[in-house]
Amino acid sequence: MTAIEAGRAVAVVGTGTMGQGIAQVALVAGHPVRLYDAVPGRAGEAASAVGRRLDRLVEKGRMEPAVRDAARARLTPATALDELADAALVVEAIVEEPGAKQKLFAALEDVVGADCLLATNTSSLSVTAVAGALRLPGRFVGLHFFNPAPLLPLVEVVSGFRTDPAAAATAYETAAAWGKSPVRSADTPGFIVNRIARPYYAEALRLYEERAADPATIDAVLRESCGFRMGPFELMDLIGQDVNEAVTRSVWEGFFQDPKFTPSLAQRQLVASGLLGRKSGRGWYDYAEGAAEQLPHTAEPCPAPETVAVHAKLAGPSAVLRELIDEAGIKVTRDRTPSESTGYIRLPGGARLALTDGYPATGDVSGPTIRFDLALDYRSATRIALAPGAEASPEDVREAVGLFQALGKKVSVIEDVPGMIVARTVAMIVDFAADAEARGVASREDIDTAMRLGVNYPGGPSEWAEKLGNHWVWDLLDTMHVQYANGRYGPSWALRRSLKTPY
């Protein structure tokens, strides 16, 4: 199957930001484009706006004037659906309301030819349900672009239950011909990105509700320990709290209120208060002119211990800490205290410093314990979170802080919660990805591509799984499942099947 030829017309219905962006992408790819909106005059306004976007590309030297002129000549605002009759592809980008979309596509079936591909840009509705009333549902697909469509490369090509494989293939090849990076997805709540990304927001909100840390600290830890471009609270403010919560609620309801997808009461209150993020001037952060900057909690400088003892091999990526401690000039001895085989660092005062494993530090049978959070690369990480147990003394905490500061890290001390910040977030994303792959939502490669390109993750979930080991992810989630016992953290059977040795 091949892409739709560049000379054939593409129609875009809905002329908001997303509709204009999709129209621009199709125009630049060489298609005649028809823009339609049910509100009189909107299509003409949108065509002018797209023209101005092309002008800016010329001004920036990214497009030749002749190419711009040819593209503008191919762009036609339509005043009635009948004017879309010659379209080879119609992409809908109207309001996220199932009834409105179904009514539109039913009307389009009476206008376009039988070989016309029909596509919805929905980000949260069921492609199968929208196509349910069509006479020819086999030609209906999801083409989920990400905003801004001209800049972001990812397109999720979503096959509904009755989508013809040939139609999905045409949609995929067309998106690729437009210079995009398409991925194939089954029709599941949230598709790939909005399904697998839920823990990035949900765990941050849960940590805030548990008073583990404030939004600025949670954001800083995920950025500086793990390499995420934006923290979850910053990102929710950028997306819009109302939009982010609506997607969360849609996915939750789509999965029959599965506790893994439960929305946040804290976010609901923010939306109810009209604090929607950047677009309203305030969300988790205050964007008003002159507003005080919200800074993460960062521990004051503490002296580095002269010596520490290491017991066994530190787990996963934290194994490199032994090298970093040596390089910092801190003497390392071997801890010979009888204990479990799990690696940890013994501080001079006797407290145990260990990578979070899903258990809280408080009540550890080994004595005073301080947990440190996961970093995917402890060499490049610039911030580490610590969670002291109730039995750890202030001096124990100072020794732990001083140790990581000697390694060149900023330190955020948070409340003692199972899984801390990075570890629980990354483990949940890895598990969601494994579950989605096992259920046939998308291939492992497409999932990794979608998460890197759709939400700018510093790596794909399968890359993280390889680095951490599925046993580590399973152990952390299984322990948290016991700690919380509400079903939220129960590891998927897909993750269990991936383990190389039985439990």
Side-chain angles (χ1 to χ4, degrees), residues 29-388:
H31 294 274
V33 174
R34 317 273 189 263
L35 264 176
Y36 174 79
D37 197 290
V39 178
R42 285 271 179 87
E45 294 170 2
S48 298
V50 172
R52 290 191 295 272
R53 292 185 185 192
L54 299 178
D55 290 340
R56 287 194 291 272
L57 291 177
V58 171
E59 292 167 4
K60 295 176 180 179
R62 298 177 183 173
M63 178 178 283
E64 293 296 324
V67 175
R68 183 266 321 271
D69 294 343
R72 293 181 77 163
R74 293 194 301 271
L75 180 60
T76 306
T79 58
L81 283 180
D82 290 351
E83 296 173 44
L84 313 183
D86 64 339
L89 166 65
V90 179
V91 183
E92 165 271 318
I94 66 171
V95 63
E96 287 284 88
E97 200 283 306
K101 293 180 187 291
Q102 289 173 331
K103 183 178 179 181
L104 168 66
F105 283 111
L108 282 168
E109 274 203 309
D110 293 333
V111 171
V112 299
D115 64 341
C116 177
L117 190 65
L118 300 178
T120 175
N121 183 59
T122 184
S123 61
S124 59
L125 299 178
S126 166
V127 171
T128 300
V130 174
L134 295 181
R135 295 193 303 272
L136 299 174
R139 61 169 166 176
F140 190 84
V141 299
L143 273 179
H144 180 212
F145 289 79
F146 287 73
N147 194 28
L151 296 180
L152 294 187
L154 185 68
V155 177
E156 292 178 319
V157 180
V158 184
S159 293
F161 189 73
R162 297 182 65 185
T163 298
D164 189 318
T170 296
Y172 182 95
E173 295 298 335
T174 299
W178 291 0
K180 296 301 181 182
S181 298
V183 292
R184 298 174 178 86
S185 174
D187 184 23
T188 182
F191 311 141
I192 302 173
V193 171
N194 280 327
R195 172 178 177 152
I196 296 172
R198 299 297 8 115
Y200 191 62
Y201 315 108
E203 292 311 305
L205 291 164
R206 182 68 175 258
L207 287 160
Y208 169 79
E209 291 171 343
E210 293 177 352
R211 295 297 184 261
D214 60 276
T217 300
I218 294 170
D219 278 353
V221 169
L222 282 161
R223 286 195 315 267
E224 299 170 36
S225 291
C226 204
F228 287 100
R229 188 169 299 182
M230 296 182 72
F233 292 98
E234 296 172 298
L235 189 52
M236 285 184 278
D237 271 358
L238 179 64
I239 294 168
Q241 298 298 330
D242 52 341
V243 174
N244 185 263
E245 194 218 19
V247 173
T248 296
R249 189 167 296 277
S250 173
V251 173
W252 176 60
E253 291 172 350
F255 281 109
F256 307 104
Q257 302 185 358
D258 186 325
K260 289 180 179 291
F261 298 94
T262 302
S264 162
L265 177 59
Q267 187 176 41
R268 175 91 293 269
Q269 291 173 330
L270 209 66
V271 172
S273 300
L275 305 179
L276 307 182
R278 288 183 177 273
K279 63 185 176 184
S280 69
R282 184 178 168 192
W284 293 111
Y285 297 95
D286 190 344
Y287 300 95
E289 186 175 351
E293 184 181 3
Q294 292 173 249
L295 298 174
H297 170 76
T298 303
E300 294 296 322
C302 294
E306 293 182 3
T307 181
V308 296
V310 176
H311 176 89
K313 183 179 179 180
L314 301 177
S318 70
V320 75
L321 288 175
R322 171 65 189 263
E323 296 176 19
L324 297 180
I325 294 170
D326 280 333
E327 292 166 12
I330 298 171
K331 183 179 178 182
V332 180
T333 63
R334 182 178 177 185
D335 184 82
R336 299 181 182 277
T337 305
S339 184
E340 72 278 14
S341 61
T342 303
Y344 59 81
I345 299 167
R346 182 76 70 183
L347 296 169
R352 183 172 169 273
L353 182 61
L355 176 64
T356 182
D357 58 2
Y359 288 104
T362 299
D364 194 304
V365 296
S366 301
T369 297
I370 300 169
R371 300 283 184 191
F372 62 88
D373 206 351
L374 175 69
L376 293 175
D377 183 346
Y378 283 91
R379 279 195 176 275
S380 62
T382 58
R383 183 180 296 268
I384 298 294
L386 299 179

Side-chain angles (χ1 to χ4, degrees), residues 365-440:
V365 296
S366 301
T369 297
I370 300 169
R371 300 283 184 191
F372 62 88
D373 206 351
L374 175 69
L376 293 175
D377 183 346
Y378 283 91
R379 279 195 176 275
S380 62
T382 58
R383 183 180 296 268
I384 298 294
L386 299 179
E391 299 83 3
S393 70
E395 182 56 32
D396 292 332
V397 176
R398 284 192 291 272
E399 288 177 351
V401 169
L403 174 62
F404 277 105
Q405 288 175 339
L407 307 186
K409 318 299 181 187
K410 296 177 182 177
V411 177
S412 293
V413 179
I414 69 170
E415 294 299 317
D416 182 24
V417 291
M420 300 186 68
I421 297 173
V422 176
R424 70 199 282 178
T425 300
V426 168
M428 288 288 278
I429 292 171
V430 167
D431 191 43
F432 273 40
D435 184 61
E437 180 191 358
R439 294 176 185 269

